[in-house]
Amino acid sequence: MRLIMKIAELMANKLEKLFQEASLENIKADTYKDLCGALHVTKMYYDMDLGGDDRYRNHRTGKLIFEATPVDDKLVLYDSGMPGGLKKCYNFYYDGNEYVHAYIEFEKAVKEDDIDQELCAFMANVIYIIISRQNMRKMLDYAETSDVLTGIPNIAMVQRKYYTVLQHSRPQDYAVLRINLRNFRYINEMCGAQAGDEAIIQYSRKLLKFTEDDECAGRMGGDNFVVYLHNENLKNFLKKISTVTISKLKNAPNNRFDVVAWVGISMLSEDENKTFLERLNDANVACGLGKSRLKQDVVYYGKELKNMVMQGRDIIGIFPTAVKNHEFTPFFQPKVDMKTGKLVGFEALCRWFHEDHYIYPDQFIPILDREGLIPKLDLAIFDETCKAIKRWKEMGLTPPRISSNFSRKDLFVPKIENKILKVIEENGLSTDDVEIEITESTKDVEYERLITFVKTLKENGLFISIDDFGTGYSSLSLLHNIDVDVIKIDKSFTDMITADDKTAILVESIITIAQRLKMEIIAEGVETKEQGKKLVELGCNLAQGYYYSKPVDYQSATEIINSCDYAPVV
């Protein structure tokens, strides 16, 4: 006997109830249990592709966000527990493509002739439409509060949870952290973007494991994370994230990578009352300053840091006027032939004279660098240096060649070569009067631009020196591809040259290569006579450093030009 004759009236009532409940709340298997029983259905399931096993899973509880139970890559909506027999499959399409398959299994006693095909297909459609709508709503809700890549909370969810815990706690009891992965870019460079995503996912899940139930970790985007946690748990948490090992990472050495981080921390004093976003901003500032200026892994936001921030804002605000008023001035550090004591050059170094006192480079260079203002500063100092050379010549003096620094940031200033040449021309100088110092470049795009930069300046007769040589990753390649005149051995080598045989061997190798390529070589940071003697012994006669003189102002440099002589080191 056909089942449709038995349950027509029942079906109408059950479906009406089903739609009513679905419009009010998320329906569960109990809602359509009687309907399935009336149709002698023992199981209903779907094989919807969710984009990965963990895509829509609560990463703290491990549970799927849907009511359905995942079994063998299928979402089981209903299971009576009774053995199944006849199985029917219903295909659903989206944009012309098969999207999901719905399966209905009937009790063993049910035969093909016992079921009404249209009725069962209709029921499958109804259940699918209702469940799909509710699952989509859950997916959208999930997307609003969860990070798309990792599934951990996003910043909106972290903020919501923060205010929830404050209903029974004080904000002073919690620390808010901003975390920026310190060496993450190397994963992308070495292993590729896919491995980078995998590393972010693994790191995110470990952050969650490091927090308690009433604490929260979330992803802000990229390799940036936000966390709030109990003050008493802070020390242990920082210890855990000091080094986080990412395993099973393709293309990484030994399939693993150790990730460290910059951390900014906001902790409130008893009299402070800040919103979550204000605290996050403080943690952002601490993290940024730790990374750019302080070079510290963990930085707490406080009064001292706030003053530093205000000072930074003041510096940025007055910078344009300071340039216009010629407040930035070169100090000159002598370059000396150690065998003869003869002055062979100066390096121009930036100082800022503002409101009757000097502001030293470590106070303003990192701030200007972060704001992209270094190119303007470099050109200003170069212009002041050329003006100083011009004044010396007008006095009848013959100043030695003077070098001026240009950073990697300058390489991408439009027509920077023309601007350098224009400054020389406007001051009535020859290209023989000046030398352009550049640092080693580590990025391919910078390296390619560096080659054309040097080529253009060399074609116009300028001397080029490589500063801090030996500290980059491409030193030998640099000598092969770029036609420079001078190599400056980095101070880190000079510091160790009398105490470490390996350093002496490396320096001697650099000197030999430079001599064979007919390049001048000069050692930076010479502070003792013993260092000077060792350098001369290895074949480097030229040096600059505190052994001879610290950087001096224009007047003192004028006196050095007039006297010319230093005592030889040998």
Side-chain angles (χ1 to χ4, degrees):
M1 186 180 200
R2 297 178 65 84
L3 295 178
I4 186 63
M5 300 301 295
K6 294 182 177 181
I7 60 170
E9 184 176 350
L10 176 65
M11 279 287 293
N13 293 334
K14 293 294 183 183
L15 287 175
E16 182 181 7
K17 182 182 178 184
L18 187 64
F19 276 110
Q20 286 177 344
E21 293 196 16
S23 65
L24 296 174
E25 58 184 339
N26 292 325
I27 62 172
K28 301 181 179 180
D30 286 344
T31 309
Y32 44 85
K33 178 179 179 181
D34 291 344
L35 183 61
C36 291
L39 288 171
H40 296 267
V41 170
T42 185
K43 185 182 292 185
M44 289 195 304
Y45 54 90
Y46 293 86
D47 61 359
M48 179 185 291
D49 180 8
L50 296 177
D53 291 343
D54 296 324
R55 184 70 177 275
Y56 297 103
R57 192 178 297 278
N58 184 307
H59 287 285
R60 188 178 289 280
T61 64
K63 294 181 179 180
L64 202 66
I65 64 170
F66 308 131
E67 297 297 339
T69 304
V71 177
D72 297 331
D73 297 325
K74 295 179 174 61
L75 295 181
V76 179
L77 301 177
Y78 172 75
D79 188 352
S80 69
M82 296 174 61
L86 179 66
K87 181 167 65 175
K88 303 291 289 184
C89 178
Y90 301 90
N91 300 332
F92 295 94
Y93 297 83
Y94 178 76
D95 198 22
N97 298 312
E98 287 192 22
Y99 174 61
V100 64
H101 304 95
Y103 295 89
I104 298 178
E105 291 187 14
F106 295 90
E107 296 172 8
K108 277 192 171 183
V110 176
K111 302 290 189 285
E112 188 79 34
D113 292 340
D114 292 332
I115 66 172
D116 184 280
Q117 303 288 348
E118 293 182 0
L119 177 61
C120 290
F122 174 70
M123 188 190 79
N125 287 337
V126 168
I127 296 292
Y128 170 69
I129 290 170
I130 293 174
I131 294 297
S132 295
R133 177 181 178 276
Q134 295 197 342
N135 282 349
M136 184 59 69
R137 188 163 60 194
K138 287 187 177 183
M139 291 164 72
L140 291 172
D141 290 343
Y142 185 78
E144 287 182 0
T145 59
S146 304
D147 175 63
V148 175
L149 175 64
T150 65
I152 73 169
N154 59 18
I155 191 169
M157 187 59 174
V158 176
Q159 181 178 218
R160 186 186 303 176
K161 286 177 172 287
Y162 174 80
Y163 286 120
T164 299
V165 300
L166 291 191
Q167 293 176 6
H168 51 79
S169 301
R170 302 184 313 150
Q172 283 81 2
D173 297 333
Y174 287 86
V176 175
L177 287 66
R178 151 77 187 277
I179 299 171
N180 173 245
L181 303 191
R182 184 170 177 175
N183 53 348
F184 178 71
R185 69 183 181 90
Y186 294 113
I187 298 179
N188 280 327
E189 290 176 0
M190 289 193 315
C191 310
Q194 187 174 356
D197 287 347
E198 173 60 28
I200 287 290
I201 292 169
Q202 285 194 40
Y203 190 88
S204 300
R205 293 175 185 172
K206 291 195 176 190
L207 277 187
L208 284 186
K209 291 180 181 179
F210 298 158
T211 59
E212 304 294 335
D213 288 340
D214 55 350
E215 301 172 340
C216 189
R219 183 174 179 233
M220 299 171 63
D223 58 350
N224 298 292
F225 300 86
V226 57
V227 179
Y228 72 79
L229 50 110
H230 289 287
N231 292 340
E232 58 264 29
N233 293 339
L234 179 58
K235 183 178 180 181
N236 189 43
F237 180 85
L238 291 175
K239 182 179 180 181
K240 288 179 179 178
I241 67 167
S242 60
T243 302
V244 176
T245 299
I246 305 300
S247 58
K248 298 179 181 178
L249 199 61
K250 291 182 179 179
N251 301 324
N254 300 318
N255 292 330
R256 53 177 285 166
F257 198 92
D258 290 335
V259 178
V260 294
W262 306 101
V263 184
I265 303 174
S266 167
M267 299 187 74
L268 296 182
S269 60
E270 290 297 322
D271 59 343
E272 282 186 292
N273 184 21
K274 292 185 176 182
T275 67
F276 173 78
L277 292 181
E278 287 173 335
R279 298 192 66 184
L280 178 57
N281 182 67
D282 291 345
N284 281 340
V285 170
C287 183
L289 288 174
K291 183 177 180 179
S292 63
R293 292 183 62 183
L294 303 176
K295 304 302 179 184
Q296 296 176 10
D297 292 350
V298 179
V299 176
Y300 291 80
Y301 186 86
K303 289 183 179 179
E304 184 177 343
L305 214 63
K306 184 178 180 179
N307 291 336
M308 191 182 298
V309 172
M310 295 305 295
Q311 180 191 41
R313 290 172 181 168
D314 291 342
I315 285 172
I316 294 165
I318 64 178
F319 175 74
T321 303
V323 172
K324 184 178 180 180
N325 293 341
H326 304 282
E327 294 182 9
F328 292 98
T329 183
F331 268 42
F332 303 92
Q333 186 170 38
K335 300 176 182 179
V336 180
D337 186 324
M338 293 183 287
K339 292 185 72 173
T340 65
K342 180 181 177 182
L343 176 72
V344 296
F346 283 109
E347 179 181 358
L349 298 163
C350 181
R351 297 293 184 268
W352 186 1
F353 191 72
H354 178 69
E355 295 181 348
D356 301 323
H357 71 281
Y358 281 107
I359 303 174
Y360 289 94
D362 61 346
Q363 295 176 277
F364 65 85
I365 291 292
I367 296 168
L368 297 180
D369 187 28
R370 189 171 66 248
E371 296 297 318
L373 296 172
I374 287 296
K376 191 169 185 177
L377 176 64
D378 286 346
L379 278 171
I381 287 297
F382 183 61
D383 184 46
E384 295 295 334
T385 300
C386 289
K387 284 179 169 57
I389 297 171
K390 181 181 179 180
R391 290 198 299 273
W392 281 322
K393 287 191 170 187
E394 291 172 346
M395 293 166 59
L397 298 176
T398 305
R401 193 170 70 236
I402 299 178
S403 63
S404 190
N405 290 283
F406 283 84
S407 76
R408 295 199 300 263
K409 302 286 180 68
D410 294 303
L411 296 177
F412 299 98
V413 174
K415 299 182 179 179
I416 182 65
E417 298 94 332
N418 293 342
K419 293 179 180 181
I420 291 172
L421 294 169
K422 184 179 179 181
V423 169
I424 295 171
E425 182 182 355
E426 287 177 343
N427 284 283
L429 302 182
S430 164
T431 52
D432 291 336
D433 294 323
V434 294
E435 178 180 310
I436 304 299
E437 282 196 24
I438 52 179
T439 54
E440 286 193 59
S441 183
T442 58
K443 296 180 180 178
D444 289 343
V445 63
E446 292 174 353
Y447 189 76
E448 293 300 319
R449 178 66 184 93
L450 182 61
I451 292 174
T452 59
F453 175 79
V454 171
K455 184 174 183 294
T456 301
L457 294 181
K458 286 286 293 178
E459 288 173 349
N460 284 275
L462 277 157
F463 281 81
I464 306 294
S465 61
I466 298 294
D467 196 15
D468 302 331
F469 185 82
T471 60
Y473 293 97
S474 55
S475 301
L476 293 179
S477 177
L478 199 68
L479 296 183
H480 180 265
N481 293 307
I482 298 179
D483 184 18
V484 298
D485 302 285
V486 184
I487 292 175
K488 300 187 74 176
I489 298 174
D490 185 67
K491 184 180 183 300
S492 61
F493 289 102
T494 305
D495 288 342
M496 298 296 295
I497 198 165
T498 59
D500 181 55
D501 290 340
K502 184 183 292 186
T503 299
I505 292 170
L506 289 173
V507 169
E508 185 176 25
S509 299
I510 293 172
I511 294 169
T512 300
I513 292 171
Q515 289 173 340
R516 297 193 65 178
L517 292 174
K518 296 182 171 35
M519 297 175 181
E520 290 183 13
I521 187 155
I522 180 169
E524 296 181 288
V526 175
E527 297 181 352
T528 67
K529 188 172 185 178
E530 288 70 25
Q531 289 174 340
K533 284 183 176 181
K534 185 65 175 179
L535 286 162
V536 171
E537 178 188 323
L538 296 176
C540 175
N541 296 336
L542 306 182
Q544 72 179 88
Y546 277 28
Y547 176 71
Y548 291 104
S549 174
K550 64 181 181 181
V552 297
D553 61 17
Y554 173 82
Q555 187 60 44
S556 298
T558 303
E559 295 172 4
I560 292 173
I561 293 172
N562 278 317
S563 63
C564 284
D565 294 328
Y566 288 94
V569 298
V570 291

